[in-house]
């Protein structure tokens, strides 16, 4: 047998299990061996119920009398009684109604959790459950717990991995042995068995360290190589012109915030050097990033250079074009501005390209096809990238090939990178953060709406429409995914069209033709559409000051950062604004959604998301390769130090990556992405 063989060639894995694993993207034996536990339970220390003391405990017992009831604020409480030969104890789960159907009456379970007072009664609160199969009883004290589904229990995963374990020997070591020796790391073929079936907590830690190292090492090495590369390239020098900066600021209809001033200053400093700038400006929606970017751009234009401004969609490109136009006009620089998008006819395109080429100092706004549009970029001094974190090494190399130099890179985003990530994984990036919001911004009131309040909700929406405001309604899907799927934009659109048949209701999603999308969006901007049902195509950048309500269906389908982006679409005018998260029967309010309602700061939310879901879930997928394992957290300073040391050892040794093909492919994967995805 080989690692690349399908798992069905292992003894004991039949069709059903193969399918269940396939649903988790586990196809080969290799995949299976790298299907890591979510956590571990230490069942070596089982208490008798009669001996329980408050604190974390494990008992082995049967579970009876399970009931579910709804308590205040929609909380679902599942209660049961656990009994062993010594006595009984109350068990309580909050918001886990599925417990009722998943627990078997005639089975012993290991039950682990906090034993404490609840409702003036000592109870086990939110314990984890593990069926006490023979498997565990004969096994060691530390038991791996895997991500479970109806068709795939932890015990089945354990059994399957046991069968695959002998093949762990065959896992190729992709790290040079001098790195392992120098840092005291064990081989990957040793780490895999220990991470599934650890001998003790110490061997488990050693194994986890190796796996976490593998998550970070290629990334940090890629970073270092990117950085070395960038430092070996040259950019055009953009001199600072005080008079121009003054004129720009004087003609603004508002005063810059201190953060804006500071960041522009940094950017001007960067651009005065021939070392290509690589700066990311993060700022919450509405914090005024565009002005900052345009101030950078005018300096390059004044110098006789080109500037490219790339937006993720045509619609945003158009909006940016209009914003930039307004900012350039008072300076008399608007004639340098061009909009180049795919929806232009060929002859229109030709005209724009010729014009842009004619004027040496053009400012061209478009999508990422800009760079291959036919504009000659030889005097490109600055690229501004909006909300598009993927500007990879490939594109940089293409520019370098076309022009013989690299432009300065300025990326602007409202998706905050938690500090911990920025400092470790993206350390080739200079980070500027706009923390200060322009004065007069109104916070958006956020509410969780239980299914029972749906009709009240509709009345509130109607009130807003009657006041002349506009409304966004966002859904996670376009089409219904299943019979009972109420989260599809098409379906929700039908509902809202009926309820608000005296208003104009629009539909917008990514499968519509792009000119159709533009039309709908334009109608919304012009207030010809009052209520817009959409998917997350409206997530980034769109600016309609008259919109005061954001309704989000299936909020659990979105990350906190994404929810925050959506919420940022409203509250951009002078009106009280609201964000409603629509709960469903199967979705009870959880800590994530509750925190979202209470926290109005994108940075705090991103840190929280990172903490709750881990980097693996948030930043897990590199373009098409290996992501982070679940194990990685970024608060482990010792690990980060160790990885940095490894990178230094490797680079100092001056070896060719080519010698280590597997490492090279991982590093290439990581290098292709300069920023987050
Ligand atoms: P972002 O791109 O960060 O979401 P924008 O740059 O689009 O934000 O700015 C949002 C709005 O705030 C724009 O209408 C802009 O003109 C305005 N604005 C920017 N900076 C300031 C400021 N310092 N004071 C007041 N309004 C500002
Ligand atoms: Mg913006």
């Amino acid at each position: 047998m080989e690692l690349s063989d399908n798992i069905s060639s292992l003894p004991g894995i039949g069709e059903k299990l193969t399918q269940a694993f396939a649903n988790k993207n586990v196809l080969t034996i290799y995949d299976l061996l790298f299907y890591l536990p979510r956590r571990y339970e230490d069942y070596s220390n089982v208490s008798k119920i009669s001996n329980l003391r408050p604190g974390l405990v494990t008992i082995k017992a049967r579970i009876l009398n399970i009931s579910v009831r709804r308590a205040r604020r929609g909380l679902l409480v599942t209660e049961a009684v656990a009994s062993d030969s010594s006595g009984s104890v109350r068990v309580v789960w909050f918001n886990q109604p599925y417990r009722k159907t998943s627990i078997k009456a005639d089975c012993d379970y290991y039950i682990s959790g906090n034993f404490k007072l609840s409702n003036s009664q000592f109870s086990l609160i939110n314990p984890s459950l593990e069926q006490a199969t023979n498997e565990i009883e004969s096994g060691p004290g530390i038991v791996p717990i895997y991500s479970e589904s109806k068709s795939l229990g932890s015990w089945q995963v354990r059994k399957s991995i046991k069968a695959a374990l002998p093949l762990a020997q065959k896992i190729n070591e992709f790290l040079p042995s001098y790195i392992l020796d120098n840092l005291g790391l064990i081989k990957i073929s040793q780490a895999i068995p220990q991470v599934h079936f650890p001998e003790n907590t110490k061997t488990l830690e050693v194994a986890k360290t190796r796996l976490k190292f593998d998550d970070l090492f290629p990334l940090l090495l890629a970073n270092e190589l990117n950085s070395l590369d960038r430092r070996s390239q040259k950019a055009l020098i953009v001199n600072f012109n005080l008079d121009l900066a003054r004129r720009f600021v004087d003609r603004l209809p508002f005063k810059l915030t201190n953060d804006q001033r500071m960041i522009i200053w940094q950017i001007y400093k960067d651009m005065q050097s021939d070392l290509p700038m690589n700066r990311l400006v993060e700022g919450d929606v509405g914090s005024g990033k565009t002005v900052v970017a345009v101030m950078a751009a005018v300096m390059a234009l004044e110098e006789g250079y080109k500037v490219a401004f790339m937006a993720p969609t045509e619609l945003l490109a158009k909006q940016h074009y209009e914003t930039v136009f307004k900012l350039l006009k008072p300076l008399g620089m608007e004639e340098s501005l061009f909009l180049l998008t795919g929806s232009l006819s060929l002859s229109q395109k030709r005209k724009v390209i010729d014009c842009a080429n004619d004027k040496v100092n053009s400012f061209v706004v478009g999508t990422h096809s800009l760079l291959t549009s036919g504009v000659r970029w030889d005097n490109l001094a600055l690229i501004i990238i909006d909300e598009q974190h993927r500007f990879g090494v490939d594109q940089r190399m293409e520019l370098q090939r076309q022009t013989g130099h690299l432009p300065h890179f300025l990326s602007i985003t409202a998706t905050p990178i938690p500090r911990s990530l920025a400092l470790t994984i993206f350390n080739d990036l200079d980070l500027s953060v706009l923390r200060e919001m322009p004065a007069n911004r109104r916070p958006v009131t956020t509410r969780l709406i239980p299914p029972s309040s749906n009709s009240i909700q509709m009345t509130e929406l109607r009130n807003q429409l009657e006041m002349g405001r506009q409304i966004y309604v966002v859904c996670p899907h376009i089409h219904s995914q299943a019979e009972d799927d109420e989260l599809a934009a098409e379906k929700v659109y039908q509902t809202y069209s009926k309820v608000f048949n005296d208003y104009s209701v629009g539909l917008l999603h990514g499968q519509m033709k792009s000119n159709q999308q533009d039309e709908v969006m334009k109608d919304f901007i012009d207030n010809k559409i009052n209520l817009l049902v959409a998917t997350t195509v409206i997530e980034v950048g769109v600016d309609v000051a008259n919109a005061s309500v954001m309704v989000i269906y299936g909020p659990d389908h979105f990350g906190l950062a994404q929810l925050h982006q959506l919420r940022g679409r409203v509250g951009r005018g002078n009106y009280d604004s609201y964000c409603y998260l629509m709960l469903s029967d199967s979705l009870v309010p959880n800590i994530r959604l509750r925190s979202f309602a209470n926290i109005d700061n994108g940075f705090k939310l991103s840190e929280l998301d990172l903490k709750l879901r881990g980097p693996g879930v948030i930043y897990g997928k590199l373009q098409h390769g290996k992501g982070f394992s679940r194990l990685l957290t970024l608060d482990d300073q010792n690990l980060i130090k160790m990885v940095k040391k490894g990178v230094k050892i490797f680079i100092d040794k001056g070896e060719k990556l080519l010698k280590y093909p597997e490492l090279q492919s991982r590093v290439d994967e990581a290098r292709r992405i300069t920023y987050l995805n």
Side-chain angles (χ1 to χ4, degrees):
M1 253 185 290
E2 293 303 325
L3 288 165
S4 57
D5 287 349
N6 194 283
I7 54 168
S8 57
S9 51
L10 288 168
I13 299 191
E15 213 168 287
K16 253 172 129 177
L17 258 184
T18 305
Q19 189 50 51
F21 273 117
N23 291 339
K24 303 255 180 193
N25 282 326
V26 173
L27 305 175
T28 65
I29 296 176
Y30 182 92
D31 297 338
L32 180 61
L33 287 169
F34 279 86
Y35 189 73
L36 303 182
R38 282 179 77 91
R39 59 191 172 79
Y40 301 83
E41 291 289 355
D42 193 345
Y43 292 130
S44 50
N45 205 351
V46 175
S47 310
K48 287 272 171 226
I49 289 176
S50 56
N51 293 338
L52 284 182
R53 296 274 168 277
L56 289 175
V57 299
T58 300
I59 58 174
K60 187 180 168 192
R62 290 195 174 202
I63 299 173
L64 302 163
N65 300 342
I66 310 174
S67 66
V68 182
R69 65 183 164 85
R70 202 176 273 277
R72 60 199 157 76
R73 280 196 292 160
L75 199 65
L76 281 175
V77 182
T78 308
E79 284 173 299
V81 176
S83 310
D84 67 7
S85 56
S86 74
S88 309
V89 60
R90 175 172 173 254
V91 181
V92 186
W93 288 280
F94 296 111
N95 288 335
Q96 301 176 26
Y98 64 90
R99 293 289 186 191
K100 184 168 161 65
T101 49
S102 64
I103 291 169
K104 294 181 202 150
D106 53 356
C107 235
D108 277 331
Y109 287 90
Y110 286 103
I111 310 170
S112 269
N114 207 350
F115 183 59
K116 63 174 188 181
L117 266 180
S118 158
N119 256 346
S120 60
Q121 194 180 349
F122 269 102
S123 318
L124 266 166
I125 309 298
N126 280 335
S128 69
L129 278 193
E130 192 57 39
Q131 214 170 309
T133 59
N134 296 333
E135 181 75 29
I136 292 183
E137 295 189 65
S138 60
I142 305 173
V143 176
I145 310 292
Y146 299 86
S147 150
E148 300 202 310
S149 62
K150 238 191 171 120
S151 52
L152 191 64
S154 253
W155 64 275
Q156 286 166 306
V157 181
R158 280 195 290 272
K159 212 180 80 184
S160 309
I161 289 179
K162 271 234 163 98
L165 218 50
L167 281 113
Q169 296 305 323
K170 295 198 174 187
I171 303 175
N172 248 335
E173 184 51 65
F174 73 95
L175 290 177
S177 56
Y178 60 85
I179 291 210
L180 299 184
D181 294 345
N182 209 304
L183 301 175
L185 290 165
I186 59 173
K187 284 193 164 151
I188 186 68
S189 55
Q190 293 171 306
I192 284 295
Q194 280 304 315
V195 88
H196 290 293
F197 303 106
E199 277 161 43
N200 53 51
T201 49
K202 213 168 150 203
T203 59
L204 175 58
E205 278 321 302
V206 172
K208 277 180 165 176
T209 300
R210 166 65 210 246
L211 286 163
K212 289 191 262 189
F213 187 90
D214 290 1
D215 279 341
L216 265 191
F217 183 69
L219 271 170
L220 292 203
L221 182 54
N223 236 303
E224 191 57 34
L225 294 171
N226 278 349
S227 175
L228 288 172
D229 240 22
R230 181 167 67 90
R231 279 161 207 287
S232 72
Q233 308 280 358
K234 295 224 175 312
L236 296 171
I237 290 180
V238 176
N239 287 304
F240 175 62
N241 181 326
L242 180 64
D243 177 56
L244 176 64
R246 281 224 175 104
R247 266 186 294 143
F248 188 99
V249 174
D250 286 346
R251 283 162 178 72
L252 281 177
F254 46 77
K255 252 186 88 189
L256 292 174
T257 63
N258 287 330
D259 280 352
Q260 282 172 319
R261 272 168 212 284
M262 223 171 60
I263 291 172
I264 291 163
W265 185 247
Q266 274 172 337
I267 294 172
Y268 283 156
K269 236 167 76 184
D270 289 348
M271 294 197 309
Q272 288 173 67
S273 151
D274 66 355
L275 170 67
M277 170 171 78
N278 196 29
R279 185 169 292 280
L280 176 68
V281 175
E282 287 184 356
D284 232 341
V285 237
S287 60
K289 299 177 292 287
T290 316
V291 184
V292 170
V294 173
M295 270 194 88
V298 293
M299 219 40 91
L301 294 178
E302 184 75 3
E303 197 86 1
Y305 295 144
K306 283 200 174 69
V307 175
F309 190 163
M310 304 200 302
T313 65
E314 292 213 356
L315 193 80
L316 283 169
K318 269 182 208 158
Q319 278 207 349
H320 282 319
Y321 172 82
E322 280 157 26
T323 312
V324 176
F325 189 92
K326 280 185 217 142
L327 290 166
L328 293 185
K329 185 115 201 287
L331 300 167
M333 291 173 107
E334 76 277 11
E335 276 167 26
S336 303
L337 185 65
F338 300 92
L339 176 67
L340 192 57
T341 62
S343 56
L344 296 181
S345 73
L346 224 58
S347 63
Q348 282 172 316
K349 237 187 237 170
R350 197 63 255 162
K351 219 167 117 197
V352 172
I353 292 168
D354 286 345
C355 272
N357 280 337
D358 253 11
K359 286 202 63 98
V360 249
N361 60 346
S362 330
F363 187 149
V364 191
V365 182
T367 56
H368 30 271
S369 61
L370 257 194
L371 295 180
T372 49
S373 60
V375 175
R376 280 194 310 275
W377 291 115
D378 32 308
N379 62 338
L380 177 65
L382 171 68
I383 290 196
I384 303 161
I385 306 162
D386 179 38
E387 293 300 347
Q388 201 243 330
H389 308 272
R390 271 192 199 154
F391 196 86
V393 162
D394 301 350
Q395 283 145 303
R396 274 170 205 254
M397 274 173 12
E398 176 57 24
L399 268 180
Q400 158 76 20
R401 198 188 57 74
Q402 278 183 31
T403 66
H405 64 87
L406 273 188
H408 295 291
F409 280 89
L410 181 63
S411 215
I412 57 182
T413 181
T415 314
I417 308 177
R419 227 182 113 68
S420 49
L421 261 186
L423 289 178
T424 51
I425 297 182
F426 302 98
N427 61 2
D428 181 37
L429 204 61
D430 291 316
L431 190 64
S432 304
V433 182
L434 281 165
R435 289 191 186 279
E436 193 182 350
M437 291 296 260
N440 73 32
R441 280 291 134 78
R442 285 167 182 254
V444 178
T445 307
T446 304
R447 290 207 194 106
L448 309 186
I449 308 294
S452 53
S453 307
N454 241 321
S455 56
I456 304 172
Q457 167 71 9
M458 290 296 186
T459 314
E460 271 183 48
L461 296 187
R462 181 165 285 280
N463 283 341
Q464 289 290 322
L465 290 172
E466 274 165 18
M467 286 192 285
R469 298 289 81 73
Q470 285 164 281
I471 296 174
Y472 294 102
V473 176
V474 171
C475 305
H477 317 130
I478 300 174
H479 315 293
S480 295
Q481 314 268 303
E483 198 86 341
D484 57 347
D485 184 6
E486 299 295 330
L487 303 179
E490 289 177 338
K491 199 140 186 183
V492 171
Y493 170 68
Q494 283 172 8
T495 311
Y496 277 78
S497 298
K498 274 189 208 123
V499 176
F500 299 107
N501 58 7
D502 44 344
Y503 285 96
S504 157
V505 177
L507 175 66
L508 180 70
H509 60 70
Q511 278 177 17
M512 290 160 53
K513 289 220 179 71
S514 94
N515 57 343
Q516 226 180 334
Q517 287 185 40
D518 287 1
E519 233 162 77
V520 172
M521 203 56 227
K522 195 164 173 324
D523 284 349
F524 190 68
I525 291 168
D526 297 343
N527 202 356
K528 285 186 200 147
I529 291 177
N530 310 111
L531 186 150
L532 182 62
V533 178
T535 55
T536 51
V537 284
I538 56 127
E539 177 187 344
V540 272
V542 179
D543 196 356
V544 178
N546 188 46
S548 63
V549 184
M550 169 62 67
V551 181
I552 302 172
Y553 280 83
D556 52 322
H557 287 74
F558 305 106
L560 286 178
Q562 208 178 8
L563 286 174
H564 188 62
Q565 283 265 18
L566 288 170
R567 177 165 61 186
R569 296 302 103 221
V570 297
R572 298 173 83 90
N574 295 317
Y575 311 108
D576 285 334
S577 298
Y578 305 89
C579 175
Y580 297 121
L581 304 184
M582 306 305 284
L583 304 176
S584 59
D585 274 323
S586 56
L587 173 63
V588 280
N590 53 33
I591 174 161
R592 233 164 53 83
L593 298 180
R594 284 221 188 86
S595 320
F596 177 72
N598 295 326
I599 300 176
D600 190 33
N601 176 311
F603 295 97
K604 284 195 188 136
L605 284 172
S606 77
E607 295 285 355
L608 183 72
D609 225 8
L610 185 65
K611 203 155 95 197
L612 289 176
R613 300 200 298 164
V617 180
I618 305 181
Y619 304 101
K621 284 279 169 291
L622 297 180
Q623 219 143 8
H624 29 230
K626 309 195 164 46
F628 297 109
S629 72
R630 290 182 172 282
L631 299 172
L632 185 64
T633 60
L634 294 172
D635 46 13
D636 188 342
Q637 289 310 318
N638 287 333
L639 175 77
I640 289 166
K641 252 188 227 151
M642 183 187 214
V643 174
K644 286 190 170 163
K645 190 170 165 201
V647 168
K648 189 168 176 344
I649 293 172
F650 187 82
I651 291 200
D652 287 351
K653 184 123 179 162
E655 274 194 313
K656 288 263 175 307
L657 259 180
L658 273 170
K659 254 178 88 177
Y660 306 95
E662 159 108 33
L663 177 60
Q664 172 161 37
S665 91
R666 291 188 193 208
V667 170
D668 282 350
E669 189 70 49
R671 283 196 78 177
R672 222 161 281 141
I673 299 150
T674 314
Y675 304 136
L676 288 169
N677 63 25

